[in-house]
């Protein structure tokens, strides 16, 4: 069965609309907002801000949160702390923020796949990602890299598909179960007419360690997680899932060049509780956009293997709905369940 891959709008199209939207916000700021909204933005922030990261320290969200928190603290002249609330595959921390006071002082930073896949694979979420959280910005996007063991005789996804068909046995694919990487791998394999033998892991780092050691054939994870292994010659990159060639992975072909609109990856999003005043959300969005375009911060992102997304708040909300529908179909068609 072939799953559809064209539900989500292309990143370039979204980017163009985002830039227009941001320009409109800039023109209107301070002239057409109600007085109470202007007051909310003018007085914000006047106390400490917490950024909740629903993962253990040291991961991509944690590293980004601390970089972003420092810059926000400098911009707002307020203390910004990062607090790790791990557990429940990210949902414990996300639910905590969803139920926090909607005042802009408790924010959430996480891989957005927690929110776009969660409703499809977790039967009893205690919050609704679309209704209970308000997107602010996506300060970092890192596409997936499809990587294979270094001695696998393939250089691209067509050769991988041909190898899988010729060998007569499925290519092993290591991934955390019910994750964005598993769903992306399934979608890619179905489109190219071959099958992955999915090997479940508790974390992506464990799958990559086994791939480096030659115990499995392939894996898919963010450029942030994989690029150092590629550069060190421990694994081989054969495709990247960005809409266009990605700066951190020169020479690696995009999946989208063969499967139109196949764009996946780790979208690190900053969100607030729903009903946070729009003027406060706008102020946060503008601050993040200024930070991620600063040359030093942009270099930090590039060194990590990521880049900022120009989507504005409304576009992120639309993207979340589209992604939820896209992955919900893959989950249903393939009977994927969380452990």
């Amino acid at each position: 069965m072939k799953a559809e891959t064209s539900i989500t709008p292309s990143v370039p199209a979204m980017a163009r609309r985002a830039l227009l939207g941001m320009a409109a916000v800039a023109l209107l700021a301070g002239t057409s907002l109600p007085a109470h909204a202007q007051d909310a933005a003018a007085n914000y922030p006047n106390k400490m801000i917490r950024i909740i990261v629903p993962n253990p320290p040291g991961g991509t969200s944690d590293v980004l949160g601390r970089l972003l928190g420092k810059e926000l603290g400098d911009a707002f002249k307020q203390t910004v702390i990062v607090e790790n609330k791990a557990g429940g595959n990210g949902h414990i921390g996300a639910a905590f923020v969803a139920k926090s006071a909607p005042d802009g002082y408790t924010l959430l930073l996480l891989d957005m796949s927690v929110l776009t896949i969660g409703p499809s694979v977790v039967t009893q979420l205690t919050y609704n990602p679309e209704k209970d959280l308000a997107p602010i910005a996506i300060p970092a996007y890192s596409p997936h890299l499809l990587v294979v063991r270094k001695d696998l005789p393939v250089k691209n996804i067509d050769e991988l598909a041909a190898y899988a068909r010729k060998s007569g046995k499925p290519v092993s694919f290591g991934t955390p179960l019910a994750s964005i990487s598993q769903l992306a791998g399934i979608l890619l394999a179905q489109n190219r007419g071959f099958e992955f033998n999915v090997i479940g892991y508790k974390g992506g780092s464990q799958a990559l360690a086994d791939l480096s050691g030659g115990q499995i054939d392939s894996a898919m994870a963010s450029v942030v997680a994989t690029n150092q292994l590629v550069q060190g010659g421990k694994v081989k990159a054969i495709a990247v899932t960005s809409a266009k060639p990605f700066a951190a992975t020169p020479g690696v072909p995009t999946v989208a060049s063969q499967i139109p609109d196949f764009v996946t990856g780790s979208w690190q999003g900053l969100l607030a509780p729903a009903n946070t005043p729009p003027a406060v959300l706008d102020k946060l969005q503008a601050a993040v956009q200024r930070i991620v375009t600063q040359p030093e911060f942009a270099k930090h992102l590039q060194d990590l293997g990521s880049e900022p997304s120009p989507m504005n708040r409304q576009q992120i909300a639309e993207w979340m709905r589209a992604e939820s529908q896209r992955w919900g179909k893959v989950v249903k068609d393939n009977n994927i369940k969380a452990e």
Side-chain angles (χ1 to χ4, degrees):
M1 179 186 298
K2 289 187 178 180
E4 296 177 358
T5 63
S6 59
I7 295 175
T8 304
S10 68
V11 171
M14 280 188 163
R16 288 192 296 270
R17 294 201 303 270
L19 293 173
L20 290 173
M22 289 169 61
V25 168
L27 288 172
L28 292 172
T31 59
S32 60
L33 292 174
H36 63 84
Q38 290 180 6
D39 290 343
N43 295 328
Y44 176 87
N46 56 25
K47 62 180 181 179
M48 182 183 73
I49 298 172
R50 287 192 298 171
I51 298 178
I52 305 299
V53 173
N55 310 100
T60 302
S61 298
D62 182 67
V63 171
L64 177 64
R66 293 178 192 281
L67 286 172
L68 186 63
K70 178 185 180 304
E71 296 297 331
L72 282 173
D74 291 344
F76 288 144
K77 294 180 173 49
Q78 288 290 342
T79 300
V80 179
I81 65 169
V82 171
E83 186 175 332
N84 300 90
K85 287 187 178 293
N89 293 323
H91 294 294
I92 289 177
F96 175 84
V97 175
K99 297 172 183 178
S100 296
D103 54 11
Y105 291 96
T106 303
L107 308 177
L108 175 67
L109 181 69
L110 80 173
D111 186 327
M112 296 287 281
S113 66
V114 172
L115 307 179
T116 57
I117 294 176
S120 298
V121 298
V122 180
T123 54
Q124 293 184 330
L125 280 184
T126 60
Y127 69 106
N128 184 312
E130 290 185 26
K131 294 181 179 179
D132 298 335
L133 291 167
I136 296 167
I138 296 181
Y141 161 67
S142 181
H144 287 132
L145 268 184
L146 177 60
V147 287
V148 298
R149 55 182 169 85
K150 59 185 178 183
D151 59 343
L152 200 71
V154 302
K155 298 188 296 293
N156 53 54
I157 56 176
D158 281 342
E159 290 184 5
L160 179 64
Y163 173 85
R165 290 190 290 265
K166 185 177 179 180
S167 68
K169 62 179 182 180
V171 172
S172 58
F173 180 76
T175 178
L177 297 178
S179 67
I180 182 67
S181 59
Q182 181 189 7
L183 300 186
I186 288 172
L187 202 60
L188 185 150
Q190 289 176 344
N191 189 284
R192 305 317 288 172
F194 71 100
E195 182 182 0
F196 275 131
N197 176 28
V198 174
I199 309 295
Y201 287 83
K202 288 192 176 296
S205 60
Q206 295 170 312
L208 291 172
D210 276 2
L211 180 63
S212 298
Q215 282 81 40
I216 57 175
D217 296 321
S218 65
M220 184 179 280
S222 71
V223 172
V224 171
T226 54
N227 213 27
Q228 191 171 10
L229 295 173
V230 174
Q231 292 173 352
K234 296 184 180 299
V235 301
K236 182 167 50 175
I238 63 171
V240 63
T241 64
S242 49
K244 60 185 186 303
F246 197 65
T249 59
V252 179
T254 64
V255 177
S257 65
Q258 295 176 271
I259 307 174
D261 295 328
F262 194 105
V263 178
T264 67
S266 173
W267 308 77
Q268 296 289 330
L270 185 68
L271 304 97
N275 300 318
T276 298
V280 170
L281 296 175
D282 287 341
K283 192 169 187 177
L284 282 163
Q285 176 186 273
V288 172
Q289 293 291 358
R290 284 194 299 270
I291 288 166
V292 299
T293 55
Q294 293 171 359
E296 185 176 352
F297 197 90
K299 187 176 186 308
H300 274 309
L301 293 182
Q302 186 172 355
D303 289 345
L304 286 172
S306 61
E307 64 184 22
S309 165
M311 286 190 288
N312 63 27
R313 294 194 294 110
Q314 181 179 351
Q315 288 161 340
I316 297 170
E318 293 170 356
W319 173 85
M320 286 178 66
R321 284 190 289 272
E323 286 286 280
S324 296
Q325 293 171 8
R326 177 193 192 189
W327 298 118
K329 184 179 188 312
V330 178
V331 168
K332 182 178 179 181
D333 289 348
N334 294 278
N335 194 30
I336 304 295
K337 298 184 184 299
E339 290 185 311

